[in-house]
Amino acid sequence: MTEQEKRRRMHDLDVTVWVGKHGVDAVVEELSDQLDDRDMVKVKFLRAARGGTTTEELAAELAERVSGDLARTRGHTAVIER
């Protein structure tokens, strides 16, 4: 897959995991299950989850917790792959 195809695929993904006021802990299992079924998952970080941290920091922590890789962050959205 070329880099352009990968970017297009990430763009076309729908958000299927939302991180809210309960933080990263609340979605680790769900994200892990979704990554078992597909190779990329788009995650949205709501304002309540961000608090004093950045989307990049939260996304990196979440990717590490599910043994995944942070493919991209843009705004308050991240794509995590395995």
Side-chain angles (χ1 to χ4, degrees):
M1 179 181 307
T2 68
E3 188 61 31
Q4 185 176 10
E5 290 169 334
K6 186 175 178 179
R7 279 197 315 265
R8 182 176 293 120
R9 213 169 138 234
M10 284 191 271
H11 179 269
D12 291 342
L13 281 175
D14 290 327
V15 174
T16 56
V17 175
W18 288 264
V19 180
K21 64 183 176 185
H22 297 292
V24 169
D25 293 338
V27 299
V28 169
E29 191 174 326
E30 175 63 28
L31 178 58
S32 185
D33 289 347
Q34 288 190 28
L35 285 168
D36 288 342
D37 294 339
R38 49 187 166 288
D39 58 342
M40 286 184 194
V41 175
K42 192 177 271 188
V43 181
K44 176 81 171 191
F45 294 89
L46 303 176
R47 182 179 292 123
R50 291 191 307 270
T53 62
T54 66
T55 299
E56 291 79 11
E57 291 170 330
L58 287 170
E61 177 188 344
L62 186 56
E64 186 179 315
R65 299 268 304 269
V66 297
S67 301
D69 295 314
L70 179 57
R72 160 190 255 183
T73 59
R74 186 167 185 181
H76 301 299
T77 305
V79 175
I80 297 175
E81 61 185 353
R82 207 182 258 162

